[in-house]
Amino acid sequence: YFLGSMLERAWGGKRFLVFYLSCGFVGGAIYLAACMLGILHSGSLVGASGGVLGLLGACAILFPQVSVILFIFPVPIRTAATLLTIMYLLMVLTGGSNAGGHLCHLGGMATGAIWVLGRPFYEARKAKYEQAVLQRDRQVGEKQQYDVDRILAKVHKKGVHSLTSREKRTLQHATDQEKEKPRR
């Protein structure tokens, strides 16, 4: 409840929901993969703990100044995340009674941490991609403008009847694009 509201305020509802569901999904997928590979014995997997532990992983990175109650003691959130990670790892490695659930916890927490730590990389890649698209669109626009200018010069010299069907299509396409542009 507390961690979720912090992240939702920081990210907004839509992004938070995608994040939370992703953490739960990945946690469950890791559990299923471990069962399919014979690492764990399959059983029922119930709850939202993968998503909840994803919140803990993300908040431990984004809000290190926060304290949480672990068992009965207030501790820094990073300490809680570290202790729970160690505890869950030990339970999974020793085959504890809820090893599958703890593996799901670890998967959710790792997803939360990766989501936060990978965000700058993702944002940089997205910006680079958008810049490349803008550059490509600009080059296409410049080439189209060059073609239109050349065709209009031909019309000026020789008349409209001298245009090929391709040149007419080029002018029609440029006219249609101009009509679609929003007016300022």
Side-chain angles (χ1 to χ4, degrees):
Y1 173 78
F2 297 105
L3 300 178
S5 61
M6 287 171 37
L7 285 175
E8 187 174 11
R9 273 193 306 273
W11 291 343
K14 184 178 177 182
R15 182 173 167 201
F16 170 76
L17 180 63
V18 170
F19 166 79
Y20 180 76
L21 294 176
S22 297
C23 291
F25 177 80
V26 171
I30 289 173
Y31 167 76
L32 289 175
C35 290
M36 291 174 63
L37 294 171
I39 298 169
L40 293 174
H41 300 291
S42 62
S44 59
L45 186 64
V46 180
S49 56
V52 173
L53 271 290
L55 300 177
L56 179 66
C59 286
I61 296 167
L62 292 174
F63 310 112
Q65 73 281 3
V66 170
S67 289
V68 295
I69 305 294
L70 186 62
F71 305 111
I72 58 170
F73 304 104
V75 296
I77 193 166
R78 286 189 175 171
T79 302
T82 302
L83 291 174
L84 288 173
T85 300
I86 292 168
M87 184 180 82
Y88 292 144
L89 274 172
L90 289 173
M91 295 292 227
V92 169
L93 294 175
T94 60
S97 62
N98 189 22
H102 296 312
L103 185 61
C104 181
H105 298 161
L106 290 170
M109 194 181 304
T111 302
I114 290 168
W115 182 288
V116 171
L117 294 173
R119 195 76 186 170
F121 174 76
Y122 168 77
E123 294 293 337
R125 298 278 299 173
K126 182 179 173 187
K128 188 175 181 180
Y129 171 77
E130 289 172 351
Q131 185 65 30
V133 168
L134 286 173
Q135 179 67 22
R136 185 197 68 214
D137 290 349
R138 190 171 325 148
Q139 289 173 343
V140 167
E142 288 172 358
K143 182 188 180 320
Q144 182 178 352
Q145 187 61 50
Y146 174 79
D147 290 343
V148 167
D149 290 345
R150 181 185 54 77
I151 294 168
L152 291 176
K154 182 178 179 180
V155 168
H156 182 69
K157 283 184 182 178
K158 299 181 182 179
V160 175
H161 63 280
S162 68
L163 296 181
T164 66
S165 60
R166 182 176 183 190
E167 290 170 332
K168 289 177 185 176
R169 280 195 310 270
T170 300
L171 282 179
Q172 185 61 51
H173 179 71
T175 301
D176 292 343
Q177 280 187 323
E178 194 62 33
K179 286 179 184 177
E180 291 175 9
K181 285 184 181 177
R183 299 290 175 216
R184 294 178 197 203

